[in-house]
Amino acid sequence: PARIPHHHRGILGYCKALGVPLEVQVNENRAALLQASTGPVPQRRVQADLRGLIAELAAKGLERGTLEAPLDEPDLEALRAMLRRFGALGADHRYHGSSRAGWDRPPGAGPEAPRALPPLDARLLLEPTLWAGAAFTEGVDYAATMLQPVGGMDRIAAALATALGEALVPGAEVVSLRRGEAGARVRWRGADGMREETAAQVLITLPAPLLARLDTDLPEARRAGLAALHYSSAAKLAFHCARRFWEEDHAIYGGISWTPGEATQLWYPSHGFHAEGGILTGAYIWDDDLGERFAARGPAGRAAAIAADGEALHPGLGREVSAPVSVAWSRMPRAGGAWAEWTTAQRRDLYPLLRSPEGPYHFAGEYLSWLTGWQEGAVLSAWNALEGMA
Ligand SMILES: Cc1cc2nc3c(=O)[nH]c(=O)nc-3n(C[C@H](O)[C@H](O)[C@H](O)COP(=O)(O)OP(=O)(O)OC[C@H]3O[C@@H](n4cnc5c(N)ncnc54)[C@H](O)[C@@H]3O)c2cc1C
């Protein structure tokens, strides 16, 4: 995980209670790039021109009287005023370009007035990478303010581990679960061999695919349901860069660029601005087909494919990156996939079964929430399960 929306109060509450310092995660950066068929375009230009296009089309619709809503003249005037501001339209209700898109000739101290970039060809704006990238942070879980723990997301786990002390046994692997008269027997493998514990209640937080395969006496219907849940094949790859070329050459400070290639997204670090070097997330893939294609490659093949995608966004990137590290969650033995993706039918038919306790067994995890793929989902699910155990 990389980012925390400001309204994920559960996980942020733990950060506060455990003293995990936070900093801003730059999820949207108008200087970041969207890869069009003609080359990379800064997001600010796509945002401005898309709004200009939509506003102009709407204004033309008003002129032709094609609007079906019953609006009187004061309403229409208010609508036109809104459209002019929304799309940076001229007094003629046409979009002629705007400094929102950036400068063709930037403002300086010379004799010539600055000049805004001309509008992009509207057909270019219809390329999915452009409009999807431009709309990305409209999602409630992606909009500012986004946060990240100083030092990385594992600072939360480390702080929790410190708070739990000896109650936590790192590296312990549960190998089987059985019901007994006094509750449930848990067999687990620790650093010094096999152990067994009996407990009146057990909270099981393994990801669904792993719990489905674990040696348990859970009923067949639950095991089949756990196995039927689809988990995303998301993957990431990061490079070390000796030089922050994105800051030095492009004034990109944090944020995300988009490519229609396998890499999908390229993330710039939100911290350490102007430091000597930095870690560039060269790929964040979540489409299953792309994720599986990426996962099937060896480490060198993954790095080469992602560097090639990055090269299109940042010509010369291949010479700047080194030490690639990648994770394909579908290949992670302790994860079994990235996150659960419920179908509508499964939400209706399976979700009630999987979230309900069963004798001594209680269940929690991101997959048992409506916020799958977010730590907040795991927190809310755990709190929900604990209520049932009280
Ligand atoms: C690529 C990716 C990006 C993400 N980005 C974000 C983000 O930006 N922000 C955000 O909030 N969330 C993000 N998430 C989601 C977040 O990581 C999860 O929602 C969260 O980690 C789920 O917590 P959990 O406790 O349900 O499961 P997990 O974190 O998977 O914990 C399950 C634990 O069970 C352990 N385990 C497995 N088998 C056994 C066994 N047999 N015995 C003992 N232990 C076992 C595993 O080692 C693991 O520690 C992302 C996830 C992925 C994969």
Side-chain angles (χ1 to χ4, degrees), residues 1-3 172-174 210 284 329 334 338-339 365-366 373-375 378:
R3 56 192 159 200
E173 183 191 359
V174 173
L210 303 188
Y284 181 14
W329 270 267
R334 289 291 184 94
W339 52 76
E366 59 83 36
W374 292 100
Q375 295 168 103

Side-chain angles (χ1 to χ4, degrees), residues 83-304:
L83 288 173
R84 284 196 301 273
R85 175 63 66 88
F86 176 80
L89 302 184
D92 59 354
H93 295 103
R94 297 293 180 269
Y95 181 64
H96 305 288
S98 154
S99 59
R100 291 177 182 179
W103 299 106
D104 186 20
R105 185 166 58 225
E112 291 187 306
R115 188 172 57 218
L117 284 165
L120 290 165
D121 184 332
R123 276 185 201 84
L124 202 66
L125 296 172
L126 299 183
E127 292 185 9
T129 305
L130 270 64
W131 51 256
F136 177 59
T137 54
E138 297 302 316
V140 66
D141 287 321
Y142 300 89
T145 301
M146 299 293 291
L147 299 155
Q148 62 183 22
V150 174
M153 201 61 91
D154 71 348
R155 295 304 82 206
I156 303 178
L160 273 168
T162 303
L164 289 170
E166 289 181 2
L168 182 77
V169 184
E173 183 191 359
V174 173
V175 295
S176 70
L177 296 167
R178 288 289 182 280
R179 290 190 203 211
E181 275 174 23
R185 279 196 332 272
V186 182
R187 274 172 56 76
W188 56 277
R189 188 180 293 118
D192 49 358
M194 291 302 299
R195 301 271 201 87
E196 192 168 294
E197 316 263 351
T198 302
Q201 301 187 92
V202 178
L203 178 57
I204 305 170
T205 62
L206 267 64
L210 303 188
L211 182 56
R213 293 200 292 268
L214 193 72
D215 176 12
T216 66
D217 53 3
L218 292 171
E220 183 48 35
R222 185 184 289 267
R223 290 162 60 99
L226 289 164
L229 259 190
H230 176 70
Y231 268 55
S232 156
S233 296
K236 286 187 182 181
L237 182 142
F239 292 114
H240 176 260
C241 300
R243 188 175 79 89
R244 291 187 169 224
F245 60 89
W246 54 94
E247 293 176 7
E248 287 181 25
D249 302 347
H250 304 280
I252 294 176
Y253 292 85
I256 298 173
S257 286
W258 289 69
T259 154
E262 188 169 311
T264 314
Q265 286 189 339
L266 187 146
W267 289 37
Y268 311 96
S270 294
H271 63 285
F273 297 140
H274 288 175
E276 188 101 318
I279 304 294
L280 183 70
T281 305
Y284 181 14
I285 306 164
W286 58 86
D287 174 85
D288 279 335
D289 292 339
L290 294 180
E292 282 306 324
R293 194 205 297 175
F294 176 86
R297 301 181 199 277
R302 291 179 182 180

